[in-house]
């Protein structure tokens, strides 16, 4: 494909899905809609394709990728599943849950996918377009968020194009992402232990309902995933948190009773706030104001994940 015409914008119908799957099988880079954020997909079993993801994103090579699979059977070809992993898959797949599990020896994934770790991060997504692309490609797909490393994640095709533009082969336009935040990542450890590596749309309380309380009492605070960098999701200008009011030079993102220039959710709905967060950070980045201020958001349920992302955006 000639460079000037990249990326091809594909429709989220049978023709677009078939073309996306063809490009992926050939080793290309295709941005795809999921229920969390847009992913930058490539076949997980080919070194050059995985290297191209790191290159396009400018992602540090020590930060491993999540592999997306069609179902538990496909996941079991890549990782070792114990009874807890099966219970978790039963409860939350397909959906916004990523599990870090022991890598199966001889699993057909490029070494760069796991950044050399003895574990692999797996997710079975729910978005019908992403599911159709995985099925038609017939391959596990490595797919981090479809943005330059460290920036705000994309929740629409336009965000992908402005961040990665000519660096990728195609983007499938599936509209806005429903959840709007990256998946909850949980590591299942030996001896029945587990920990949340990244809070996300599935709150820790829902996980506790399946697995019980984490026995080593660690949560997202314990930074083990190399990708949990302190500064991430950065819109490229200063971000001030817990701002009930704003100065003249601040683009103010409101919530509930704080109106702002725009609002995450006028009614104080945290699910709506999660879905709108990145689009409003992108809007703030593009506004003529030199800074961004964000109203306080309570840390209940998915509010924990929203505050996790806001803290990194402000760092
Ligand atoms: P992203 O693809 O940008 O949503 O980021 C993927 C996240 O998954 C990063 O925070 C990675 O560090 C994390 N991750 C992927 N694989 C592993 C693994 N094997 N162990 C721990 N964390 C992982
Ligand atoms: Mg990311």
């Amino acid at each position: 494909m000639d460079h000037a015409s990249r990326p091809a914008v594909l429709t989220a119908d049978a023709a677009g899905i078939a073309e996306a799957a063809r490009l992926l099988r050939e080793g290309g880079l295709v941005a795809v809609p999921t229920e969390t954020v847009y992913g930058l997909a490539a076949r997980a079993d080919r070194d050059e394709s995985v290297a191209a993801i790191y290159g396009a994103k400018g992602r540090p090579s020590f930060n491993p990728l999540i592999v997306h699979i069609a179902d538990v059977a496909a996941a079991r070809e890549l990782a070792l599943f114990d009874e807890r992993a099966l219970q978790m898959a039963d409860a939350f797949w397909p959906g916004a849950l990523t599990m870090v599990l022991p890598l199966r020896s001889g699993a057909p994934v490029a070494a760069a996918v796991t950044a050399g770790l003895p574990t692999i991060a797996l997710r079975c997504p729910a978005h019908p377009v992403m599911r159709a692309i995985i099925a038609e490609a017939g391959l596990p797909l490595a797919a981090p968020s479809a943005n330059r490393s460290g920036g705000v994640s994309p929740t629409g095709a336009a965000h992908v194009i402005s961040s990665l533009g000519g660096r990728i082969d195609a983007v499938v336009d599936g509209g806005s992402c429903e959840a709007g935040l990256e998946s909850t990542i949980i590591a299942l450890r030996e001896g029945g232990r587990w920990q949340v590596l990244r809070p996300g749309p599935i709150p820790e309380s829902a996980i506790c309902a399946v697995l019980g309380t984490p026995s080593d009492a660690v949560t997202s605070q314990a930074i083990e995933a190399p990708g949990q960098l302190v500064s991430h999701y950065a819109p490229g200008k200063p971000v001030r948190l817990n701002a009930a009011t704003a100065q003249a030079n601040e683009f103010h993102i409101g919530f509930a009773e704080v109106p702002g220039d725009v609002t995450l959710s006028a009614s104080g709905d945290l699910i709506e706030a999660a879905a709108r967060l990145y689009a409003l950070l992108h809007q703030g980045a593009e506004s003529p104001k030199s800074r961004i201020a964000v109203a306080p958001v309570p840390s209940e349920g998915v509010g924990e994940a929203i505050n996790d992302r806001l803290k990194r955006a402000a760092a």
Side-chain angles (χ1 to χ4, degrees):
M1 187 176 301
D2 90 82
H3 200 263
S5 65
R6 297 208 306 175
V9 179
L10 304 175
T11 47
D13 56 10
I17 288 164
E19 176 63 1
R22 186 187 68 77
L23 288 167
L24 288 164
R25 276 195 307 271
E26 286 180 359
L29 290 184
V30 181
V32 291
T34 84
E35 70 273 30
T36 59
V37 301
Y38 273 70
L40 180 58
R43 53 187 299 166
D45 63 342
R46 196 180 280 180
D47 289 329
E48 311 86 84
S49 303
V50 171
I53 292 180
Y54 284 92
K57 281 183 62 81
R59 184 174 174 109
S61 61
F62 58 77
N63 191 358
L65 305 177
I66 296 171
V67 176
H68 297 74
I69 34 64
D71 51 28
V72 173
R76 294 185 90 158
E77 291 177 19
L78 306 180
L80 303 177
F81 270 63
D82 62 9
E83 191 52 40
R84 297 172 305 164
L86 290 172
Q87 282 171 355
M88 288 296 286
D90 227 33
F92 300 111
W93 280 2
L97 176 81
T98 295
M99 284 196 275
V100 172
L101 298 169
L103 179 65
R104 180 178 285 284
S105 84
V109 287
V113 164
T114 60
L117 294 170
T119 51
I120 185 168
L122 295 177
R123 181 162 94 87
C124 175
H127 195 292
V129 174
M130 178 59 163
R131 293 188 63 74
I133 291 169
I134 296 171
E136 198 146 335
L139 290 161
L141 299 176
S145 53
N147 55 281
R148 292 281 289 166
S149 186
V152 178
S153 297
T155 54
H159 299 151
V160 175
I161 293 166
S162 69
S163 181
L164 293 177
R167 298 171 183 270
I168 63 178
D169 295 305
V171 53
V172 180
D173 187 351
S176 300
C177 301
E178 195 184 333
L181 289 179
E182 300 81 354
S183 58
T184 302
I185 305 181
I186 172 185
L188 295 182
R189 309 270 186 224
E190 281 169 20
R193 293 174 310 125
W194 61 272
Q195 71 186 123
V196 173
L197 298 180
R198 176 174 74 188
I202 295 173
E204 188 159 338
S205 57
I207 298 169
C208 289
V210 176
L211 293 180
T213 308
S215 49
D216 50 357
V218 272
T219 63
S220 49
Q221 270 28 325
I223 293 167
E224 169 155 339
Q228 300 312 89
L229 305 174
V230 175
S231 172
H232 210 70
Y233 317 109
K237 46 179 86 164
V239 178
R240 186 169 66 87
L241 304 182
N242 297 313
T245 58
Q247 269 112 52
N249 63 346
E250 287 177 324
F251 178 84
H252 195 195
I253 299 178
F255 178 76
E257 67 280 1
V258 176
D261 299 312
V262 293
T263 181
L264 290 164
S265 169
S267 65
D269 178 342
L270 288 167
I271 305 279
E272 182 186 17
R276 289 171 57 74
L277 176 66
Y278 290 142
L280 296 186
L281 286 174
H282 282 291
Q283 205 178 315
E286 276 149 29
S287 90
K289 304 280 179 79
S290 59
R291 314 173 77 89
I292 298 172
V294 188
V297 176
S299 266
E300 304 143 16
V302 73
E304 193 196 341
I306 294 172
N307 281 300
D308 171 79
R309 305 306 190 273
L310 282 173
K311 246 185 292 162
R312 292 175 211 280

